[in-house]
Amino acid sequence: MSGTNTARGRIAAIGARTNRWVVLVVLCTSLLLVALDSTILYVALPSVTEDLKPTSVELLWIGDAYPLVCASLLILFGTLGDRVGRRRILLMGYSLFGAASALAVFSDTAQVLIAARALLGIGGAMIMPATLSILRDVFPDRKERAVAIGVWTAVAAIGAATGPVLGGFLVEHYWWGSVFLINIPLMAVMLPLCRVLVPESKGRSDGPWDLFGALLAALGVLGVVYGIKELGIKRDLLAAGAVLPFLAGVALLVLFVRRQRRREHPLIDMRLFSRAAFSTSVGCIVIAMLALVGLELIAVQYLQLVLGLSPLETGVRMLPLTFAAMVAGVLGSANLRRFGPRGMVSTGFALTACAVLLLCLMGEQDRPWLLGAGFILLGFGFQTTLFGAYESMLTEAPADDAGGAAAIGETSYQLGAGMGIALLGSVMNAAYAPGLGHVNGVPAATSGAAGHSLGEAYQIAANLGGTAGHTLRAAARAAFVHGLHVTLIVSAILLFLGAVAALRLPRRMECETPAAEVAAPRRPSRAESSVV
């Protein structure tokens, strides 16, 4: 019981030193910046290409350096924060994020911009798990913590969805560097605010920190995420550039798990995954992201290439999704008490699947009311799912392991997103390409090349001109819409499977001090084991 009393004493001390709701505002503001940066560059890439003249490989790395580096280092910095102090890691993340933003603003070559994006990824990996683990410590009461997590998840959704809108506005009115410039004054304000208002928070400090294990995890996640992204680009299951990094990453992660099970003081207590609520919550996060992130990118292509909307108009059309996610976050705590984790996550998955099926009614003509209704239902269902999954996962984890648990959740988020882009992108390509196999009046070789992407088909059609060009363009649009419908159906199937998987979650929300608050049983040392 001494471990429990120590944890409760620490929590009480934190509550006495600070207003937890003020802490929540500070943490959510920093999370908003990180979430914005994950999507804000997408609409600026054409301007970056025109200015810096990157090669095709460099352009891919400009987009991918941030998510790849961030995903690979989440476990490292999440567990380090448990040992040395989560606020300390958060402050370091702020400093690095601001410095990397300044480097990105003044980048004069593609290589410098790639380096800046990688540094931003390191800063993001410091900030994201620290915000969630501090939140876990500052809000010991589950009802209040549910409200806080609802706000936290809503802010993450707002940042990711607002990124393209804000990026489109800045690029249209200023220059591409302005998408990074906004980070600098905000981080300059966040640093002193965090130092004054956010309390220091630590987890387990017994035994040495496993640096080698942390590097194994980082390289393993990097290999898996990179392999998945390459698979999504090459659309070839046997491509060596995708398969080899993926298999190497899986092997390193297996070694990491085996190492953690053997160590007396592991980075992450693998016994967490034996808890049905924890493992199911992590799986639900992966499934939700798997089904929706790739679909979101395809939807952006639909809005711009099929309906002909500008980047800014595209972002505005997706705002209903953001507002619905905000509402779901605000109502999350009340719905969790009413329906429990199982009902909430299952219902969220089901609502999202119904929204995806509703969007199957979209065609080549613009139907804004249908699109808006689908996005509202999509945003509400998706945010409901993520809220319930994150809340259950964080509650199941002991307070001492909050940083590691938060890192697992964020890594699952990134893995699901990468898998979704690869899987749904492959489904989209498989359904789109055959529609351009035989186009009347267009040479077979030309129509085959147009089957790579809708944007490439439009370029080929423009070069052909005349009736042949018009025919190819119309066929490509029809093939893309058909592929979109197939992809939507596959996504809906995945979401319904997620609803079934969520049935393993607890039926009710236990409002008393959960078992997870009690310190996990201490592992016997090797000396103690030998005596036994």
Side-chain angles (χ1 to χ4, degrees), residues 152-240:
W152 187 89
T153 54
V155 167
I158 292 168
T162 308
V165 181
L166 181 59
F169 174 82
L170 291 173
V171 171
E172 286 187 13
H173 291 82
Y174 303 100
W175 92 110
W176 63 263
S178 60
V179 302
F180 299 107
L181 185 62
I182 60 173
N183 293 336
I184 300 174
L186 290 174
M187 283 301 171
V189 172
M190 292 302 298
L191 265 169
L193 281 180
C194 180
R195 187 178 295 276
V196 172
L197 298 175
V198 177
E200 184 57 280
S201 167
K202 289 185 179 181
R204 64 172 70 232
S205 58
D206 53 332
W209 183 61
D210 183 12
L211 176 59
F212 182 69
L215 293 176
L216 276 179
L219 293 174
V221 173
L222 179 62
V224 170
V225 175
Y226 178 78
I228 290 172
K229 284 183 172 289
E230 284 294 294
L231 179 62
I233 295 171
K234 296 179 179 178
R235 313 281 168 81
D236 182 3
L237 292 175
L238 300 178

Side-chain angles (χ1 to χ4, degrees), residues 59 88 90 155 181-182 207 213 234 265 271 294 349 353 432 459 461 482 489 499 507:
L59 185 61
R88 179 178 298 178
L90 186 61
V155 167
L181 185 62
I182 60 173
K234 296 179 179 178
H265 304 289
R271 291 174 296 177
F349 269 125
Y432 165 74
Q459 292 179 356
H482 169 71
I489 292 172
R507 185 184 297 273

Side-chain angles (χ1 to χ4, degrees), residues 344-409:
M344 189 170 185
V345 177
S346 295
T347 301
F349 269 125
L351 285 175
T352 310
C354 291
V356 169
L357 292 176
L358 177 64
L359 293 175
C360 285
L361 298 176
M362 294 188 305
E364 297 182 45
Q365 303 301 318
D366 189 5
R367 304 178 69 179
W369 291 108
L370 171 66
L371 201 63
F375 279 164
I376 289 173
L377 191 58
L378 188 70
F380 189 89
F382 179 57
Q383 191 64 24
T384 298
T385 298
L386 279 188
F387 171 86
Y390 267 109
E391 199 280 337
S392 295
M393 179 202 70
L394 206 58
T395 296
E396 279 296 308
D400 282 345
D401 291 321
I408 290 172

Side-chain angles (χ1 to χ4, degrees), residues 1-18 20 81-87 132-141 145 198-206 394 397-403 513 516-520:
M1 292 297 293
S2 61
T4 304
N5 292 334
T6 301
R8 288 176 178 169
R10 183 184 69 244
I11 290 168
I14 289 173
R17 288 199 308 269
T18 186
R20 54 193 177 279
D82 286 341
R83 299 299 181 96
V84 305
R86 294 153 186 159
R87 187 186 68 168
L132 194 54
S133 54
I134 292 173
L135 184 152
R136 170 69 173 84
D137 221 5
V138 171
F139 290 91
D141 179 76
R145 186 165 65 243
V198 177
E200 184 57 280
S201 167
K202 289 185 179 181
R204 64 172 70 232
S205 58
D206 53 332
L394 206 58
D400 282 345
D401 291 321
T513 302
E517 283 292 313
V518 180

Side-chain angles (χ1 to χ4, degrees), residues 480-500:
F480 185 89
V481 171
H482 169 71
L484 176 62
H485 291 164
V486 173
T487 306
L488 288 168
I489 292 172
V490 172
S491 180
I493 292 172
L494 291 171
L495 291 164
F496 280 123
L497 290 175
V500 174

Side-chain angles (χ1 to χ4, degrees), residues 418-511:
M419 292 168 65
I421 293 171
L423 175 63
L424 296 186
S426 298
V427 170
M428 178 69 193
N429 188 63
Y432 165 74
L436 295 178
H438 302 285
V439 180
N440 293 331
V442 179
T446 301
S447 59
H452 296 158
S453 69
L454 183 58
E456 190 169 346
Y458 280 178
Q459 292 179 356
I460 294 173
N463 292 333
L464 284 175
T467 304
H470 178 75
T471 302
L472 178 60
R473 185 181 179 90
R477 281 166 55 92
F480 185 89
V481 171
H482 169 71
L484 176 62
H485 291 164
V486 173
T487 306
L488 288 168
I489 292 172
V490 172
S491 180
I493 292 172
L494 291 171
L495 291 164
F496 280 123
L497 290 175
V500 174
L503 297 178
R504 296 184 69 227
L505 291 171
R507 185 184 297 273
R508 295 182 180 179
M509 175 185 177
E510 299 295 337
C511 294

Side-chain angles (χ1 to χ4, degrees), residues 5-89:
N5 292 334
T6 301
R8 288 176 178 169
R10 183 184 69 244
I11 290 168
I14 289 173
R17 288 199 308 269
T18 186
N19 186 315
R20 54 193 177 279
W21 300 107
V22 173
V23 173
L24 177 63
V25 172
V26 176
L27 296 178
C28 286
T29 303
S30 58
L31 176 67
L32 179 65
L33 293 176
V34 176
L36 272 172
D37 229 65
S38 65
T39 58
I40 197 171
L41 186 63
Y42 290 156
V43 294
L45 285 178
S47 299
V48 172
T49 302
E50 183 179 352
D51 189 15
L52 300 184
K53 304 293 188 298
T55 65
S56 58
V57 174
E58 288 173 339
L59 185 61
L60 286 174
W61 276 106
I62 289 172
D64 288 345
Y66 178 87
L68 280 174
V69 172
C70 184
S72 63
L73 295 177
L74 286 167
I75 292 176
L76 188 154
F77 287 118
T79 56
L80 182 61
D82 286 341
R83 299 299 181 96
V84 305
R86 294 153 186 159
R87 187 186 68 168
R88 179 178 298 178
I89 296 296

